[in-house]
Amino acid sequence: MSDHAGLKAADLRKLLSANGIDVIGELEIELISGGRSNLTYVVSDAERRWVARRPPLAGLTPSAHDMEREWAVTSALSGTAVPVATPVAIDRTGEFIGAPCTVVEFVDGQVIRSAEDLDAWSDTDVATNFDALVRTLADLHAVDYRAVGLADFGRPEGFAARQVKLWTRQWGHVKTRELPDVERLADLLAARTPEQARSTIVHGDFRIDNTIVAPNDPGRIAAVVDWEMAALGDPLTDVALMCVYREPVFSQVLGFEAAWTSDRYPDSAAMAQRYAQIAGADLGDWGFYVGLANLKLGVIAEGITHRALQGGSSGAAGAERAAEATAHFIDTGLKALQ
């Protein structure tokens, strides 16, 4: 058995057994991502593979690493048109693992993170992938959350207004300097929050690298992953965030040339229109939603640098410089509201 810090094979075997999974032979565990976000492991026995996730070993921020949230949403979405990794087992209290932990089936495919990852695809591949991604988001928003057992998952009404307050409050925690335009954008958003036309499940972080693309088929999404930010709320917040992630400056926040910022994909306006067409949905006060998405990304960029300056960087390249993108996002947000 191969043990890792935070996940021991004997403990995992007990968890799987308690959920009716007979482990064949030895359990092998390989850490595939870590840092300040959830630790992710590929686990295999003689016949099968799974993915296990648990919170980081230090510096827990429960709201961002809510294992229960991810488990509830993916369990509810299994069997719908939204592709997710099939849930296998959960340790809610740390009874088995020593910390909350989830296990899902391994999904074979490719994760497209960098512009370099796109090099293997033709322009036709990129176009079919774009359409598949937008269709997948529209499929998510079409799910009747009550019918799949998520009626008590949260309070969808007033979601956008709460998001404005949340990210304004977060700015106060992470700002590394004064930037009056942040408060100006927040005030304008608070005064302009539209009535919510629809309430759906929202992913909260939807872009290409939070999906697994089917092997050798860019036009098929094998699974949507990273559901820690999922909620019930206004679907247009999801659409706008997907579009604003297309801003070239987002690569600076990540510290590498991101696939999603590549000019090989359609621009954000075309993306929003394609969603509206597929979902049969109105984009409402689109300027508000774009403004809110820019506020969120500006604060996230600032937070990455704030943590790096506190010595808590995840090791991402250029974390100390991520906040250089903040003013751009805030300025873009203000322009969207004009």
Side-chain angles (χ1 to χ4, degrees):
M1 293 187 178
S2 59
D3 288 344
H4 272 269
L7 192 61
K8 292 186 166 50
D11 297 339
L12 188 59
R13 182 183 284 269
K14 287 176 190 166
L15 173 62
L16 290 169
S17 296
N19 284 271
I21 305 293
D22 291 325
V23 176
I24 313 297
E26 297 294 297
L27 270 180
E28 295 295 327
I29 301 174
E30 177 192 357
L31 178 68
I32 56 172
S33 73
R36 287 183 62 88
S37 59
N38 288 331
L39 302 177
T40 305
Y41 309 84
V42 170
V43 180
S44 56
D45 69 2
E47 291 186 357
R48 289 155 299 180
R49 281 189 294 174
W50 303 276
V51 173
R53 300 184 84 200
R54 57 147 293 161
L57 299 174
L60 284 182
T61 51
S63 62
H65 306 117
D66 189 347
M67 312 300 295
E68 187 83 40
R69 175 179 300 271
E70 186 156 38
W71 179 263
V73 177
T74 51
S75 297
L77 290 174
S78 284
T80 70
V82 183
V84 293
T86 304
V88 171
I90 183 168
D91 183 352
R92 287 186 164 87
T93 62
E95 170 192 356
F96 295 92
I97 306 297
C101 177
T102 60
V103 183
V104 299
E105 286 187 1
F106 181 89
V107 176
D108 200 18
Q110 50 187 332
V111 178
I112 305 295
R113 296 193 190 282
S114 69
E116 199 176 343
D117 293 336
L118 282 181
D119 289 348
W121 286 359
S122 68
D123 289 344
T124 302
D125 290 338
V126 173
T128 57
N129 176 255
F130 157 74
D131 217 55
L133 286 162
V134 177
R135 282 184 186 281
T136 299
L137 189 61
D139 284 343
L140 171 65
H141 296 158
V143 171
D144 180 342
Y145 64 85
R146 296 178 187 86
V148 297
L150 289 177
D152 298 327
F153 189 60
R155 186 163 52 97
E157 299 79 13
F159 178 77
R162 290 196 303 277
Q163 286 282 296
V164 174
K165 287 178 183 167
L166 168 69
W167 292 105
T168 306
R169 194 166 60 242
Q170 188 66 7
W171 172 253
H173 297 316
V174 303
K175 64 182 176 182
T176 62
R177 61 330 199 346
E178 293 304 318
L179 207 61
D181 276 354
V182 176
E183 280 86 1
R184 193 155 75 91
L185 175 57
D187 289 345
L188 287 169
L189 289 168
R192 186 166 152 176
T193 308
E195 286 292 315
Q196 192 164 311
R198 290 193 293 156
S199 293
T200 71
I201 304 167
V202 295
H203 181 274
D205 199 17
F206 191 83
R207 59 180 195 262
I208 188 172
D209 47 317
N210 283 335
T211 69
I212 298 171
V213 181
N216 306 313
D217 186 358
R220 188 168 73 82
I221 306 304
V224 180
V225 298
D226 288 347
W227 292 90
E228 293 105 320
M229 305 290 285
L232 299 183
D234 189 330
L236 292 179
T237 59
D238 253 357
V239 184
L241 190 63
M242 171 181 71
C243 291
V244 172
Y245 274 138
R246 292 278 295 112
E247 287 279 323
V249 74
F250 185 58
S251 287
Q252 185 177 325
V253 178
L254 293 177
F256 61 88
E257 285 299 315
W260 198 230
T261 65
S262 168
D263 59 11
R264 296 184 66 197
Y265 280 105
D267 65 20
S268 57
M271 195 167 277
Q273 288 304 320
R274 185 66 181 129
Y275 172 87
Q277 184 182 21
I278 291 170
D282 191 284
L283 293 174
D285 182 0
W286 185 239
F288 166 85
Y289 293 102
V290 172
L292 174 57
N294 275 286
L295 173 66
K296 179 175 177 176
L297 287 190
V299 175
I300 286 171
E302 191 82 8
I304 291 169
T305 293
H306 173 79
R307 283 194 298 276
L309 294 175
Q310 303 283 324
S313 170
S314 62
E320 293 81 2
R321 297 188 55 203
E324 291 173 19
T326 298
H328 173 89
F329 283 120
I330 301 305
D331 185 53
T332 305
L334 287 167
K335 284 175 179 160
L337 290 172
Q338 286 170 6

